[in-house]
């Protein structure tokens, strides 16, 4: 769908929601890619207020392939440990957030999604690996650009999801929804690439800051085209 018409469609969507009242909105606004175990799609950003410009995302956004590869390959996850546990056991070892196959699958689709998105949207992703007939391992989240920074959200990381007997599939419908409390911290291999967060005195003392979102400075990611 051409970008101008997608913008008109999105405005109509918002108006339709206002008149629809209790009618549930669609789960996504545009499907970039889908297979039986993964997808990348555009969704309306839940934090965006069209009347408040500073809440809008800087979309469409253009990143180089090298930038996206560096962004995904540099992400690390580390088992979350609260202050007291950290004092006793220390920090867990970080590990890559995505493996090589996942990065190869996500890179071109995330680039396409960011290039198609309008300011009211973000790009969401979902990857699953079957464990057995009723259980799968889910990694999902979202991505958006604002103020020259790439925001990456990890809502689930290798989270086990068991399909209920009724067959309701919530994990594919809501990639930004955590199926269980997130049990990892999100890090990046080079600290200078990450936008620092303001820490409270409590966080500084007990180390309890815990977030599934990380903000990367795009100017520090490679601009070299591949």
């Amino acid at each position: 769908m051409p970008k101008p018409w997608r913008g008109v469609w999105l405005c109509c969507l918002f108006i339709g929601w206002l008149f629809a009242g209790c009618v549930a909105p669609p789960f996504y606004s545009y499907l970039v890619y889908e297979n039986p175990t993964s997808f990348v799609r555009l969704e309306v950003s839940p934090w965006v207020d069209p009347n408040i410009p500073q809440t809008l995302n800087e979309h469409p956004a253009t990143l180089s392939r090298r930038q996206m590869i560096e962004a995904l390959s540099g992400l690390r996850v580390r088992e979350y440990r609260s202050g007291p546990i950290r004092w006793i056991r220390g920090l867990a070892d970080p590990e890559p957030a995505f493996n090589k196959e996942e990065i190869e699958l996500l890179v071109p689709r995330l680039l396409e999604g960011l290039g198609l998105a309008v300011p009211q949207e973000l790009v969401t992703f979902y990857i699953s690996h079957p464990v057995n007939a009723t259980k799968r391992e889910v990694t999902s989240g979202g991505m958006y650009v604002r103020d020259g920074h790439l925001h990456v959200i990890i809502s689930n990381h290798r989270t086990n999801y068991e399909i209920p007997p009724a067959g309701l599939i919530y994990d594919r419908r809501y990639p930004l929804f955590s199926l269980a409390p997130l049990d990892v911290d999100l890090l990046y291999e080079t600290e200078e690439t990450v936008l620092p967060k303001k820490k409270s005195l409590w966080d500084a003392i007990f180390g309890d800051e815990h977030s599934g979102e990380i903000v990367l400075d795009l100017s520090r990611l490679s601009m070299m085209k591949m």
Side-chain angles (χ1 to χ4, degrees):
M1 186 184 299
K3 293 176 186 176
W5 287 107
R6 290 195 62 251
V8 172
W9 177 87
L10 193 62
C11 291
C12 293
L13 178 65
F14 282 123
I15 294 172
W17 289 354
L18 292 176
F19 285 99
C22 61
V23 177
F27 300 124
Y28 58 89
S29 50
Y30 183 76
L31 183 62
V32 177
Y33 170 83
E34 183 178 36
N35 69 23
T37 61
S38 61
F39 65 74
V40 173
R41 65 195 189 201
L42 303 183
E43 300 189 16
V44 176
S45 298
W47 55 81
V48 165
D49 183 339
N51 297 316
I52 305 178
Q54 57 266 35
T55 68
L56 296 172
N57 302 322
E58 292 180 356
H59 296 161
T62 302
L63 278 69
S64 70
R65 179 178 173 84
R66 170 66 73 178
Q67 282 180 301
M68 185 61 74
I69 289 175
E70 288 190 3
L72 296 185
S73 61
L75 285 175
R76 300 287 184 267
V77 290
R78 181 176 62 198
E79 178 191 347
Y80 171 67
R81 295 176 181 175
S82 62
I85 297 177
R86 189 178 303 181
W87 295 340
I88 298 171
R89 300 178 57 191
L91 290 172
D93 294 328
E95 60 183 52
F98 301 101
N99 61 37
K100 181 180 178 181
E101 291 74 20
E102 292 169 340
I103 291 173
E104 290 177 350
L105 182 146
L106 288 174
V107 165
R109 281 88 187 192
L110 291 174
L111 290 173
E112 181 181 355
L114 288 172
L116 290 171
V118 297
Q120 295 92 338
E121 295 173 317
L122 82 161
V123 184
T124 62
F125 59 87
Y126 169 97
I127 298 175
S128 68
H129 301 284
V131 177
N132 55 41
T134 62
K135 184 183 294 184
R136 52 179 169 248
E137 191 180 71
V138 174
T139 297
S140 68
M143 181 177 290
Y144 64 98
V145 174
R146 188 187 296 166
D147 299 328
H149 298 103
L150 179 66
H151 295 246
V152 183
I153 302 168
I154 299 293
S155 304
N156 298 283
H157 187 267
R158 314 284 185 234
T159 302
N160 281 327
Y161 175 76
E162 188 160 4
I163 302 173
L168 298 175
I169 305 175
Y170 291 108
D171 59 321
R172 289 185 66 93
R173 290 188 179 189
Y174 307 109
L176 293 178
F177 176 74
S178 295
L179 300 167
L182 190 64
D183 60 358
V184 295
D185 291 315
L186 192 56
L187 314 168
Y188 196 75
E189 63 178 351
T190 53
E191 292 185 5
E192 60 269 21
T193 306
V194 181
L195 188 69
K197 295 180 180 179
K198 294 181 180 180
K199 292 186 178 181
S200 66
L201 179 61
W202 180 272
D203 292 331
I205 296 174
F206 292 99
D208 282 338
E209 182 183 17
H210 185 53
S211 173
E213 180 173 354
I214 194 167
V215 185
L216 306 179
D217 186 346
L218 284 173
S219 67
R220 292 185 176 274
L221 293 174
S222 174
M223 295 297 293
M224 183 174 63
K225 298 283 185 179
M226 293 187 69

